[in-house]
Amino acid sequence: MASVTMSMLETYPKSINLDRAKLAAVIDTINACAQACTACADACLSEDMVVELTKCVRSDLDCADICTTTARVLSRHTGYDANVTRSMLEACAIACRSCGDECARHADRHPHCRVCAEACRDCERACQDLLAAIG
């Protein structure tokens, strides 16, 4: 079954300069990362040692916001600006690397941080792969 993202890209009436399936997969990966980061931040706030997780919460929230914005930019094709897309993907990859590193520091004690770190690593790779595809 195709994702909603893929279904929407398939219905776009004009040509898109990227492979639609690849683009849909990247958008879905970015959205999954945003969700994981949001949930991780909330879980961190529920931990007894929340003060030790302050940087993690901040990284999670920054990453979630950047991922959400990046997915939205990637979902728009009318008047496409490759420079904006590249900049957003680069920022998203950087945010995911930073958040993934921070969550990995807590992954042994907090399973939600492990899951989030994995989502961040997947998202960073997806952004880098799409950057390579758009040149």
Side-chain angles (χ1 to χ4, degrees):
M1 180 175 170
S3 71
V4 171
T5 306
M6 186 63 207
S7 295
M8 289 304 298
L9 287 173
E10 287 174 339
T11 65
Y12 189 74
K14 304 276 184 178
S15 66
I16 297 175
N17 294 337
L18 297 167
D19 175 83
R20 291 176 193 228
K22 181 177 186 73
L23 181 58
V26 172
I27 292 169
D28 287 341
T29 299
I30 291 171
N31 281 325
C33 186
Q35 189 281 327
C37 289
T38 300
C40 186
D42 185 64
C44 285
L45 292 172
S46 296
E47 294 286 354
D48 292 335
M49 57 189 303
V50 69
V51 172
E52 295 175 30
L53 296 169
T54 302
K55 184 175 180 186
C56 192
V57 171
R58 171 61 189 260
S59 295
D60 284 334
L61 296 176
D62 286 350
C63 192
D65 287 345
I66 292 167
C67 284
T68 300
T69 302
T70 302
R72 290 175 60 136
V73 168
L74 291 175
S75 296
R76 295 190 288 260
H77 305 285
T78 304
Y80 173 77
D81 186 334
N83 291 323
V84 171
T85 299
R86 272 190 218 93
S87 296
M88 291 304 303
L89 286 167
E90 288 167 356
C92 192
I94 290 167
C96 288
R97 184 177 327 116
S98 178
C99 187
D101 289 349
E102 181 60 27
C103 281
R105 291 183 48 228
H106 307 285
D108 60 331
R109 289 178 289 158
H110 305 291
H112 52 85
C113 287
R114 179 188 45 77
V115 172
C116 188
E118 291 170 8
C120 287
R121 300 289 185 236
D122 290 345
C123 190
E124 179 184 4
R125 276 190 299 278
C127 288
Q128 294 293 356
D129 290 346
L130 191 56
L131 274 166
I134 63 175

